Structure formats: structure tokens, C-alpha cells
Amino acid sequence: TDAGHIMYQQAQQMVEAFQRVSAELEDLMNLRRGHLRIGLPPMVGSSFFPEVIGQFHKSYPKITIQLIEDGAKKVEADVESGQTDIGVAVLPVNEEVFHYYSFVKEKLNLLVHPSHRLAGRDSVNLKELAEEPFVLFREDFTLHDRIIRECVEAGFEPRVVYESSQWDLISGMVAANLGIALLPETICKEIDSSRVSIIPLDNPSIPWQLGMIWRKDRYLSFAVRGGIAFTRGLLG
């Protein structure tokens, strides 16, 4: 009902206000303690964050860290809703809602089976992939929508044959000659080049820019402020 909707909105504001007060009191009483919730897309965590988290723990041993792995779109939604404190998202994001800093700017590469007609090329035009079967990330990954949008702008609707949340499974499907894939340069460095051919994508190249995001209008606890500053110092 309309009355229920109003009550729900007011109750949300009351809960958020209580959480802010609780967090500020916690900071005063337990300096350099706290809990940090970080949202990470699966393919980002293993490439960038083990060393960062290890160094952070040495500097702030009394701060506990919870890592929540999801696609970048879900990470962004969780930071906005308050389910996580900070997260890694694919830029751009809504600058009216989030503060952010960028720490990776790369392009996507094409992965094909070594026997594929395009294997061995110096570069590939996106239009040349119009008839190919695509292996993509799931819909909750920003790259899913980004790749489809770029293909449509190039004049074709990609034929998606498999979707996965794991980059190693995607590359394995390409190695099994089940389709082609587009993955970021950093991830391609982790892939066994004897099993797949990795080719730069050109005209157009598809950018992949990552950033750490957090809400603009929320109180930041000591743990969250420390996490932002520390990761920015190492990654930003």
C-alpha cells in the first residue's frame, strides 16, 4: 500500500542512521579494529588481491576481511545497497552514487582454438567474428553486456553457446574447440598459450577498466577508510 511504502522508506532511513551511529561509536571505542566487506569479481580476485590483502592484514591485524565474489554488476549493486563496503567494478559507474578510483585499464583479447582459421593472426577485426560461436561470462558480469553491445554496434548479434562465471572454464571451452571468447589482457597472461591462440582484438578494441568503488553518502568506518587508502596506495 502507499502507507506501507512510506513506512518502509522511513524505516530504511532509521536503520541506516542507527548503523552510522553504531559504526562511529565502534570507531571511538575500538580504534584500529573493525570489519571490512569487499566485493570482488572472480577473475579479479586471483590476479590482483591476494598480495594486497596479505599486506593489509600485516598493517591492520585487528581488522577482519570478508571477501564476497560475484559478477561486477552484482558487486556494484551490493555496494549501493550497503551489503558490501567497497567493491571492484567495471568502469564507468554512476558518479552520482559512487566515489571510485581506477587501477586497471586494458583491452580484451580474442581466444580461439589453435586450429581455428584466425589462429596466428596479428590482430582480428570484431566483424570477422559474426559467424562464430561465443563463450561468454554470465549475465551478472559486466563483460557479458559489454561484448554483446559491441558486437551489435559492429553489425551482428553474437551467437552465444555457453556462459560461465569462471574465466578458466571459459578458456578451457575454447581449448576444447567449443567456441571463441574475449578476455582481458591480465587474464590472458594466466592462460596456457599452447592450448589456445590469443590474438589482439582491433577495430574496435574493447576496453576493460576496473575501479574500486564505495558509496558517496555513507559514513565510512575506520576499517573501510583504511581499506580504501591502503588498496589505493598499492593499486591506484
Side-chain angles (χ1 to χ4, degrees), residues 55-117:
Q55 293 188 37
F56 181 82
H57 180 68
K58 288 180 181 178
S59 299
Y60 303 97
K62 295 181 180 180
I63 294 178
T64 58
I65 299 175
Q66 179 184 5
L67 300 179
I68 303 167
E69 284 193 299
D70 265 311
K73 288 198 292 186
K74 181 66 163 53
V75 169
E76 186 175 335
D78 285 349
V79 174
E80 184 171 2
S81 68
Q83 293 184 13
T84 54
D85 302 305
I86 61 178
V88 173
V90 177
L91 302 180
V93 293
N94 187 344
E95 296 188 20
E96 294 183 2
V97 175
F98 300 107
H99 288 299
Y100 70 92
Y101 68 83
S102 173
F103 65 89
V104 169
K105 189 172 184 180
E106 298 183 345
K107 298 176 182 179
L108 300 188
N109 285 336
L110 172 66
L111 277 66
V112 299
H113 189 268
S115 66
H116 194 277
R117 62 184 176 86

Side-chain angles (χ1 to χ4, degrees), residues 142-200:
T142 303
L143 276 183
H144 178 279
D145 294 350
R146 175 77 56 83
I147 290 171
I148 290 177
R149 184 171 65 248
E150 293 287 346
C151 290
V152 170
E153 290 181 1
F156 69 95
E157 185 82 25
R159 179 166 61 93
V160 181
V161 291
Y162 296 101
E163 293 183 357
S164 174
S165 63
Q166 303 295 326
W167 64 263
D168 52 348
L169 181 56
I170 290 175
S171 64
M173 289 181 175
V174 174
N177 208 12
L178 297 175
I180 66 167
L182 297 172
L183 292 177
E185 292 169 326
T186 293
I187 302 303
C188 290
K189 295 175 184 176
E190 305 288 333
I191 296 172
D192 183 355
S193 58
S194 68
R195 301 178 65 226
V196 299
S197 291
I198 301 171
I199 311 164

Side-chain angles (χ1 to χ4, degrees), residues 38-60:
I38 306 176
L40 291 176
M43 65 177 170
V44 172
S46 61
S47 299
F48 297 99
F49 277 84
E51 182 178 351
V52 171
I53 292 170
Q55 293 188 37
F56 181 82
H57 180 68
K58 288 180 181 178
S59 299
Y60 303 97

